[in-house]
């Protein structure tokens, strides 16, 4: 009999996604199944109103019922889609999930409490009682808490083990204790489990209740034990560090593949990376920048928030742009940074371009056409953009933190690295690293060799999928 894993998450590519979590949930399950024929990995998600018609038309109805959440009685529809050999279940309730965006509603706590309660109630209906329930981020945290405090008392749920993965500790799911019973369907006896600093903290509750806690890089697993990175959770992580693991994410190297990506102007691989130039010239034209083969094009693709180090970019931009370089920024975020970057592009209209949007197609064109990719995050649990940039032959400049540290080593290190890195969080250090990259770019042979090397680093899921399997396999020893 296969070992059964159920991923619980609030997003997955291509059904619904707002960031890196969606990428991981959309690619790790099939990687796990490919890594070991012994595993049946399924995924359970909310059915959002934003799902593309292409996928909506593929939904197969499994069941409909009514469930309770505290005093509420709510409709629950269950649908499924099988994709790449993985079964994805979708939990439907239009009152909660037919909204224009995934997150940011006033009642997100209630929406995801409903989702988690529905996941637990759906198991007998889908006839899939997993050996391991693997929940991701605060939106799914209540499943781990319900398992320990409520459902674990029932026969079929008793032996289910739980893993909770932290993709980003800055979003913890914090609410007032007033809604402990009314919204979260918990009892006064559960108060201590979820309490942190006088509020309900769902991530804290899941850390306490889970059999294993993981995060998305080994370095971040260490960093979040310290107050600088823990967003307040270091005490509880310290108490639970015996069950804390860091496993670096991979990327979907089939979807992110410059040799057949339909969004690119010209396809290329590590043996034909000179074809990047063609992509660059077409990209420059598209962005309204002068077409210039030998001017290094520096790219930033990011949420525009301080957590991503965008403040350093705005501080260093004037100095960076004194050189013969071009800069393109793609992303949305805090008004302050959007405004700042917009004005930089205005001041240097012949060198810089700011696109205040998320656009997957455009991001692929930039990954392929740029030369240098800048990611100076203040903290970075894993980060996928530096891996995608590498795969498309764009050399990363990163700050040494979390997954950036685990995936990118400086060219100056022993054995040579695959990018340019700096440690102190300062605009000066960023400027220095960018200048080193621009300097290296001027030596064309050396640069071409570096691009080839960067493209050939293996960022696929192969290794990490094996690490997750070893982690799950510990539950099956006995
Ligand atoms: C979050 C983190 C990012 C990570 C992603 C997937 O978005 O901020 O660093 O790569 O989750 O785990």
């Amino acid at each position: 009999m296969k070992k059964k894993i159920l991923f619980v998450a609030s997003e997955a590519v291509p059904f619904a996604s707002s960031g890196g979590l969606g990428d991981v949930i959309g690619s790790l399950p099939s990687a796990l199944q490919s890594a070991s024929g012994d595993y049946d990995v399924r995924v359970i998600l909310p059915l959002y109103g934003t799902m593309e018609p292409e996928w909506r038309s593929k939904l197969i109805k499994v069941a409909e019922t009514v469930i309770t959440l505290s005093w509420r009685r709510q409709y629950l529809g269950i649908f499924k889609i099988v994709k790449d050999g993985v079964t994805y279940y979708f939990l439907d309730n239009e009152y909660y999930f037919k909204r224009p965006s995934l997150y940011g509603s006033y009642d997100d706590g209630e929406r995801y409490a409903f989702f988690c309660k529905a996941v637990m109630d759906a198991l007998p209906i889908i006839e899939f009682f997993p050996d391991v329930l693997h929940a991701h981020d605060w939106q799914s945290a209540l499943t781990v808490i319900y398992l320990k405090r409520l459902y674990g008392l029932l026969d079929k749920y008793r032996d289910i083990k739980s893993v909770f993965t932290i993709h980003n500790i800055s979003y913890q799911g914090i609410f007032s204790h007033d809604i402990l019973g009314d919204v979260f369907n918990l009892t006064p006896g559960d108060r201590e489990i979820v309490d942190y600093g006088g509020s309900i903290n769902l991530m804290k509750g899941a850390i306490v209740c889970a059999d294993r806690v993981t995060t998305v890089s080994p370095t971040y697993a260490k960093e979040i034990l310290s107050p600088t990175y823990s967003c307040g959770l270091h005490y509880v992580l310290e108490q639970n560090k015996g069950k804390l693991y860091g496993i670096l994410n991979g990327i979907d190297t089939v979807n992110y593949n410059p040799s057949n990506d339909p969004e690119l102007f010209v396809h290329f691989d590590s043996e034909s990376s000179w074809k990047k130039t063609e992509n660059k010239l077409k990209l420059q034209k598209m962005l309204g920048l002068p077409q210039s083969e030998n001017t290094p094009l520096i790219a930033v693709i990011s949420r525009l928030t301080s957590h991503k180090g965008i403040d350093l970019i705005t501080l260093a931009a004037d100095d960076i742009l004194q050189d013969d370089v071009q800069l393109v920024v793609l992303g949305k975020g805090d008004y302050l940074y959007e405004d700042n970057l917009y004005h930089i592009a205005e001041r240097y209209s012949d060198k810089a371009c700011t696109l205040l949007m998320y656009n997957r197609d455009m991001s692929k064109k930039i990954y392929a056409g740029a030369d240098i990719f800048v990611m100076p995050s203040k903290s970075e649990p894993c980060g996928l953009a530096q891996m995608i940039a590498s795969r498309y032959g764009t050399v990363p400049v990163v700050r040494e933190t979390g997954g950036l540290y685990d995936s990118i080593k400086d060219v100056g290190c022993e054995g040579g690295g695959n990018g340019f890195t700096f440690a102190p969080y300062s605009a000066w250090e960023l400027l220095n690293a960018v200048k080193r990259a621009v300097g290296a770019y001027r030596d064309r042979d050396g640069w071409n060799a570096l691009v080839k090397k960067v493209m050939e680093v293996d960022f696929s899921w192969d290794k990490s999928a094996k690490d997750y399997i070893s982690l799950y396999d510990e539950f099956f020893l006995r």
Side-chain angles (χ1 to χ4, degrees):
M1 251 228 313
K2 291 204 178 187
K3 301 166 185 168
K4 292 179 281 182
I5 313 290
L6 183 65
F7 270 41
V8 187
S10 55
E11 53 180 88
V13 167
F15 311 111
S17 176
S18 76
L21 172 67
D23 273 292
V24 171
I25 308 301
S27 53
L28 176 57
S30 72
L32 288 169
Q33 290 191 158
S34 311
S36 164
D38 294 345
Y39 277 89
D40 179 356
V41 185
R42 304 191 188 183
V43 184
I44 193 158
L45 301 157
L47 178 59
Y48 294 104
T50 53
M51 182 188 254
E52 295 291 339
E54 178 200 347
W55 292 108
R56 193 167 281 277
S57 67
K58 296 194 169 69
L59 289 170
I60 299 167
K61 187 159 199 168
V62 177
E64 57 180 13
T65 182
V66 171
I67 66 158
T68 61
L69 176 69
S70 183
W71 49 267
R72 298 168 191 77
R73 288 172 58 78
Q74 281 286 355
Y75 164 86
L76 169 65
I78 305 177
F79 292 82
K80 71 173 180 182
I81 291 178
V82 180
K83 182 180 168 284
D84 302 333
V86 176
T87 303
Y88 292 84
Y89 295 102
F90 297 90
L91 303 185
D92 177 35
N93 178 300
E94 292 194 344
Y95 167 65
Y96 287 125
F97 299 122
K98 195 175 175 185
R99 312 234 175 143
S101 56
L102 268 51
Y103 314 122
S105 294
Y106 73 96
D107 58 348
D108 277 0
E110 181 179 329
R111 295 170 68 219
Y112 289 102
F114 169 80
F115 170 62
C116 290
K117 183 77 173 24
V119 167
M120 302 313 280
D121 288 339
L123 303 187
I125 305 173
I126 61 175
E127 295 176 354
F128 190 75
F129 283 94
D131 298 298
V132 182
L133 179 139
H134 188 160
H136 300 260
D137 274 353
W138 79 262
Q139 292 89 344
S140 308
L142 271 168
T143 55
V144 175
I145 300 166
Y146 287 152
L147 181 64
K148 186 84 171 184
R149 305 292 298 177
L150 202 60
Y151 288 76
L153 305 172
L154 307 173
D155 234 4
K156 297 252 180 147
Y157 294 80
R158 188 163 299 134
D159 295 328
I160 302 178
K161 300 288 184 196
S162 63
V163 177
F164 179 67
T165 295
I166 300 169
H167 291 262
N168 195 335
I169 206 162
S170 33
Y171 304 99
Q172 300 174 358
I174 298 175
F175 301 92
S176 154
H177 272 297
D178 299 347
I179 56 174
L180 182 80
D182 185 76
V183 171
F184 292 124
N185 205 102
L186 295 168
T187 64
D190 301 317
R191 187 184 164 107
E192 203 190 313
I193 297 280
V194 291
D195 177 73
Y196 207 60
S199 300
I200 294 177
N201 184 316
L202 297 178
M203 185 171 268
K204 182 261 179 170
I207 292 169
V208 172
C209 293
D211 294 302
R212 297 281 184 280
V213 177
T214 76
T215 186
V216 288
S217 70
T219 296
Y220 195 61
K222 286 186 214 134
E223 287 174 344
I224 55 178
L225 294 173
S226 80
T228 316
Y229 290 94
S230 71
C231 298
L233 285 181
H234 48 283
Y235 287 116
V236 67
L237 284 165
E238 185 62 38
Q239 282 160 1
N240 288 278
K241 78 174 176 201
K243 61 182 185 188
L244 175 64
Y245 298 76
I247 301 178
L248 192 69
N249 286 332
I251 55 169
D252 178 350
T253 47
V254 174
N255 183 19
Y256 291 113
N257 183 355
S259 66
N260 61 19
D261 188 329
E263 310 309 336
L264 306 197
F265 295 114
V266 180
H267 294 143
F268 59 97
D269 58 23
S270 67
E271 296 299 335
S272 58
S273 63
W274 44 272
K275 290 191 192 159
K276 271 178 73 70
T277 309
E278 195 65 21
N279 282 297
K280 171 155 129 187
L281 291 170
K282 294 226 160 79
L283 176 65
Q284 285 168 327
K285 186 160 181 216
M286 198 170 170
L287 300 175
L289 293 171
Q291 286 183 294
S292 163
E293 209 171 294
N294 293 320
T295 303
L297 177 54
I298 302 170
V300 176
I301 302 178
S302 177
R303 253 181 298 129
L304 304 178
T305 58
S306 75
H307 154 74
K308 292 285 180 187
I310 303 301
D311 46 347
L312 298 190
I313 292 174
T314 57
L315 286 170
D318 278 302
D319 286 317
I320 291 174
L321 288 162
Q322 296 312 308
D323 274 337
D324 175 29
V325 299
Q326 294 177 345
L327 175 69
V328 53
V329 179
L330 175 72
K332 281 198 299 196
D334 296 351
Y335 173 73
L336 178 69
Y337 299 124
E338 291 192 350
D339 190 53
N340 227 308
L341 291 162
Y342 176 82
H343 283 105
I344 289 167
E346 234 179 23
R347 281 208 305 283
Y348 297 91
S349 56
D350 57 337
K351 288 184 149 189
C353 174
T354 298
L355 301 168
L356 297 175
M357 57 165 102
Y358 289 124
N359 184 314
R360 213 172 163 81
D361 301 355
M362 183 57 98
S363 74
K364 299 273 198 82
K365 290 188 171 64
I366 297 175
Y367 282 125
D371 300 295
I372 297 167
F373 188 80
V374 178
M375 196 164 170
S377 308
K378 194 172 282 170
S379 80
E380 194 59 73
C382 176
L384 303 174
Q386 81 280 14
M387 301 188 194
I388 302 168
S390 302
R391 179 122 172 98
Y392 287 70
T394 301
V395 178
V397 174
V398 305
R399 193 171 95 76
E400 293 165 18
T401 183
L404 295 174
Y405 180 72
D406 293 333
S407 57
I408 310 296
K409 295 289 170 217
D410 192 86
V411 289
C413 77
E414 222 185 296
N418 56 337
F420 297 83
T421 72
F422 64 99
Y425 189 76
S426 97
W428 173 252
E429 296 287 339
L430 167 65
L431 177 64
N432 228 337
V434 171
K435 279 190 178 289
R436 282 198 296 128
V438 171
Y441 178 87
R442 309 273 181 225
D443 160 18
R444 294 323 305 264
D445 289 345
W447 186 261
N448 291 340
L450 178 60
V451 169
K452 182 170 185 317
K453 182 173 181 193
V454 161
M455 288 186 78
E456 287 174 353
V457 176
D458 181 9
F459 286 127
S460 73
W461 275 108
D462 291 356
K463 178 174 181 302
S464 312
K466 290 197 186 99
D467 292 343
Y468 277 108
I469 285 181
S470 315
L471 182 87
Y472 299 144
D473 274 345
E474 284 178 25
F475 295 133
F476 298 99
L477 299 172
R478 257 180 304 151

